[in-house]
Amino acid sequence: MKERDKFLLMVAIFLAAFFIPLHNPRVQSAILEAFFMLQDYAQKHVLTCLVPAFFIAGAIAVFVSQASVLKYFGAGANKILSYGVASVSGTVLAVCSCTVLPLFAGIYTRGAGIGPATAFLYSGPAINVLAIILTARVLGFDLGVARAVGAVVFSIIIGLLMHLIFIKEEKAREEAALTLPPPPEDRRSLWQYGVYFLTLVLILIFAAWGKPAQPVGFFSAVYQVHWYLTAFFLVVLAIILKLWFTKDELVGWVESTWGFARQIFPLLLGGVLVAGFLMGRPGADTGIIPAKYISALVGGNSLGANFLASIVGALMYFATLTEVPILQGLLGSGMGKGPALALLLAGPALSLPNMIVIRQIMGTKKAAVYISLVVIMSTIAGMIYGAIWG
């Protein structure tokens, strides 16, 4: 951190300590809520979501050659292949807006183009099959379909727009990639790497498998045994590491994983605290901003209502699936269908902690453009949907 930034941080902390009206019950509640949300995040997401994601990111950085990333996701890669894979990644990963960050950092720092990388960044948390099915069952079939279609289309459009907006930088990265030496010969085959990464992804999926709303069906059956499945794949991973990797390679993997954790984790915790203070936990009206004001402002299908829903969704942190019961309550309080879709398209893909981290990874300019694209497109989609189905 630069000395100027340290000074500004100290000034901000001093001003907050000096001026925050701590005797106000709403402020006291919001402060307590921030720590409740931090505890909730730590208990439900760090060990089961973030830790596996950090290890996957570390594995990408160490074991996936830069040439391979450039071949499939680089600026000069086949666009149909790269955007096609990136846009449906969420159907496999089923992660939240924070868990996707280490994975995004892994492929982006290895040379992936800004277009495919941001398509992956959006689709990872947005195209969650279970969340889309739950949306259709609880909020209506039409809203579930609109969410699914919107998420896939958004990821491709946002990726393409990011590529076009920053095309000069992309061309420079592509030219730099042409000068890279060929990767050294690897003693492991492609199928071995495939099994290794599939095992890591399956550990992430089953460890983070959420409890479905109804205790019936396939998702509920998997939830009943998800810890057994996680343990099984951990054993498989241990065998793979023992047979296929050397001690030095494993040390490099752990060091790379720690590098991502050190960069991302503190920012996430700070972002969760701020989000909890402002908005409160999902379903709890204890943040500094009263929920009744939000519900009153997002009724109907006006531009302002859809834009506000997109902004609120972008700032709030939604754990996987929590957006559905929240929307159910807001719709019952008079929220319009258009703003509901806008929040569904912006909310799971963005959050205040997510924004803080992607700025660190991509830089302020790229992060601001990406966030703006998500908010603007969510607003437009909400208005179109509200006009048709509202």
Side-chain angles (χ1 to χ4, degrees), residues 279 294 298 307-318 330 343 347:
M279 313 297 295
I294 298 173
V298 291
F307 182 68
L308 180 62
S310 299
I311 292 291
V312 170
L315 290 174
M316 287 185 70
Y317 169 72
F318 292 99
L330 289 172
L343 191 147

Side-chain angles (χ1 to χ4, degrees), residues 210-390:
K211 186 177 182 179
Q214 302 296 329
V216 292
F218 170 76
F219 293 106
S220 178
V222 173
Y223 178 76
Q224 299 300 320
V225 297
H226 75 115
W227 286 123
Y228 297 103
L229 293 170
T230 303
F232 169 76
F233 285 109
L234 281 170
V235 172
V236 172
L237 177 63
I239 295 172
I240 289 173
L241 296 178
K242 178 69 174 177
L243 296 178
W244 295 349
F245 295 89
T246 66
K247 182 179 179 181
D248 289 340
E249 288 174 329
L250 297 182
V251 169
W253 177 30
V254 172
E255 289 177 349
S256 177
T257 299
W258 168 240
F260 283 112
R262 184 177 56 195
Q263 176 189 16
I264 293 173
F265 192 56
L267 296 173
L268 281 180
L269 295 185
V272 171
L273 276 171
V274 175
F277 178 79
L278 293 176
M279 313 297 295
R281 285 170 295 172
D285 183 20
T286 46
I288 199 69
I289 304 175
K292 63 180 181 180
Y293 294 146
I294 298 173
S295 299
L297 292 171
V298 291
N301 192 48
S302 65
L303 174 62
N306 282 282
F307 182 68
L308 180 62
S310 299
I311 292 291
V312 170
L315 290 174
M316 287 185 70
Y317 169 72
F318 292 99
T320 305
L321 304 182
T322 58
E323 71 275 9
V324 177
I326 292 171
L327 258 295
Q328 188 177 21
L330 289 172
L331 285 167
S333 301
M335 186 180 199
K337 276 197 166 186
L341 178 64
L343 191 147
L344 280 173
L345 291 173
L350 285 176
S351 66
L352 187 59
N354 168 285
M355 295 180 195
I356 294 171
V357 176
I358 62 173
R359 175 188 172 275
Q360 182 77 11
I361 297 170
M362 291 195 294
T364 302
K365 186 177 180 181
K366 288 190 178 79
V369 172
Y370 170 73
I371 294 165
S372 299
L373 287 173
V374 173
V375 170
I376 291 170
M377 291 182 64
S378 299
T379 302
I380 294 171
M383 291 189 68
I384 294 172
Y385 174 77
I388 297 173
W389 294 98

Side-chain angles (χ1 to χ4, degrees), residues 168-222:
K168 289 184 178 180
E169 295 181 29
E170 291 295 280
K171 287 183 177 179
R173 288 181 65 155
E174 185 177 354
E175 291 173 1
L178 295 175
T179 64
L180 288 174
E185 189 173 338
D186 199 326
R187 60 188 178 85
R188 284 177 292 268
S189 62
L190 182 60
W191 74 266
Q192 288 176 304
Y193 279 117
V195 172
Y196 167 61
F197 278 102
L198 177 62
T199 303
L200 289 174
V201 170
L202 289 173
I203 291 171
L204 170 61
I205 290 173
F206 289 120
W209 197 278
K211 186 177 182 179
Q214 302 296 329
V216 292
F218 170 76
F219 293 106
S220 178
V222 173

